Amino acid sequence: MQLVRGLHNLRPQHRGCVATIGNFDGVHRGHQAILARLRERAVELGLPSCVVIFEPQPREFFAPETAPARLARLRDKLELLAAEGVDQVLCLSFNERLSKLSAAEFVDTVLIEGLDVRHLEVGDDFRFGCDRLGDFDFLQQVGNAQGFSVEAAQTVEIDGVRVSSTQIRNALAVADFALAERLLGRPYQITGRVLHGQKLARQLGTPTANVQLKRRRVPMTGVYLVSTLIDGTAWPGVANIGVRPTVAGDGSAHLEVHLLDFAGDLYGRRLTVVFHQKLRDEQRFASLEALKTAINADVAAARAHWHGQPDGCV
């Protein structure tokens, strides 16, 4: 899959394609249905498939403090799109200039002049442009005039639940990982690089891997049973995700993972942390000794859980 950052980096080989537009946060089963149809159309027309995404996502640009927590950061999203067989991704910087484009200007600038789109797949609730006039009907009118076809993807429902990034965030917020997995088509996981931290957990007797989140907000907080993928092996453990209220910090979210019985240097490595079950909410303790007691109880609960699993981890 080829990544194109910005319209200025488009080349002749990127023009003439089958495209779709959206945030694709989480690349869930609703997105997967759109991408499957995109692949079908691309094969039928003998053209490359292209996904147009934005960075930051529009709501992060307009209201960064209240924008929804991301399910996946950009790197993870690109890997998921590649796994779905997408040929190219056009990542547009969502800035002041792009935010002021009307629906008609967006179509002219991005879809026609930029990509020379021959067919467009959009979600059934897709809207765009500073005037919010860009929707399926508008795209069909322009497509008829400019010579490209437009198809609206139908809503995907699973067990009566509409698949959406919002529904997945809601499921994660209440630790319903079974529902999140059904909507995503895979277990919920976070991937990041291990950074040096305060090493306080090591002083408390439970060393942790400080996994880089690279996102303003996270969809959940608390202490969880997790498994962590290292060199193809899933290591059982317990993780805390949140702002660490007992320890003075910068107020940003952190992900710290304690792997049961693991010995080795993980600094600088990218880990994938899979979430399975919530143990408790994150809380502020009166002292480090009280925090240590709670951590020991979390680790004991994790050991009891994983000990009862047939393969030690799932």
Side-chain angles (χ1 to χ4, degrees), residues 34-261:
I34 294 175
L35 296 173
R37 190 61 183 153
L38 188 73
R39 289 195 307 270
E40 291 175 6
R41 287 299 194 191
V43 171
E44 290 172 4
L45 297 175
L47 297 171
S49 60
C50 178
V51 175
V52 181
I53 59 174
F54 307 97
E55 192 65 29
Q57 294 174 172
R59 290 181 66 181
E60 293 171 342
F61 173 82
F62 289 115
E65 298 304 322
T66 59
R70 284 204 185 195
L71 297 174
R73 60 181 185 159
L74 178 61
R75 177 171 181 164
D76 302 322
K77 182 190 300 187
L78 294 174
E79 290 179 354
L80 290 167
L81 290 173
E84 292 296 321
V86 173
D87 294 314
Q88 63 191 41
V89 170
L90 172 60
C91 183
L92 299 177
S93 176
F94 199 90
N95 50 29
E96 192 72 22
R97 178 179 174 276
L98 189 65
S99 73
K100 292 186 180 302
L101 291 181
S102 67
E105 290 170 334
F106 181 90
V107 171
D108 287 341
T109 302
V110 178
L111 300 184
I112 297 175
E113 296 175 12
L115 289 171
D116 186 21
V117 166
R118 308 295 175 80
H119 176 78
L120 187 66
E121 291 282 329
V122 293
D124 54 4
D125 57 353
F126 178 65
R127 299 189 72 88
F128 67 100
C130 69
D131 49 18
R132 302 297 290 167
L133 294 178
D135 59 11
F136 176 73
D137 291 337
F138 174 80
L139 288 169
Q140 268 203 321
Q141 293 172 18
V142 177
N144 289 335
Q146 297 292 333
F148 64 85
S149 55
V150 184
E151 186 173 27
Q154 299 303 306
T155 296
V156 175
E157 290 190 0
I158 297 176
D159 300 330
V161 177
R162 180 182 184 274
V163 179
S164 71
S165 299
T166 298
Q167 289 286 5
I168 295 168
R169 291 187 197 98
N170 292 342
L172 293 175
V174 297
D176 190 343
F177 294 111
L179 175 58
E181 180 173 350
R182 289 199 299 274
L183 300 181
L184 282 166
R186 63 185 181 280
Y188 182 69
Q189 59 192 41
I190 292 177
T191 298
R193 195 171 300 281
V194 178
L195 305 177
H196 288 276
Q198 294 177 306
K199 298 184 172 59
L200 177 62
R202 187 177 299 276
Q203 299 172 33
L204 296 175
T206 52
T208 60
N210 181 31
V211 180
Q212 186 180 34
L213 286 173
K214 267 196 172 180
R215 62 193 82 192
R216 184 182 294 270
R217 299 176 62 203
V218 290
M220 58 192 189
T221 60
V223 179
Y224 299 88
L225 294 171
V226 299
S227 54
T228 302
L229 303 179
I230 303 175
D231 295 331
T233 299
W235 283 84
V238 60
N240 182 89
I241 184 167
V243 297
R244 303 182 299 187
T246 306
V247 182
D250 55 9
S252 60
H254 294 263
L255 172 58
E256 296 175 302
V257 184
H258 173 69
L259 305 177
L260 303 183
D261 304 318

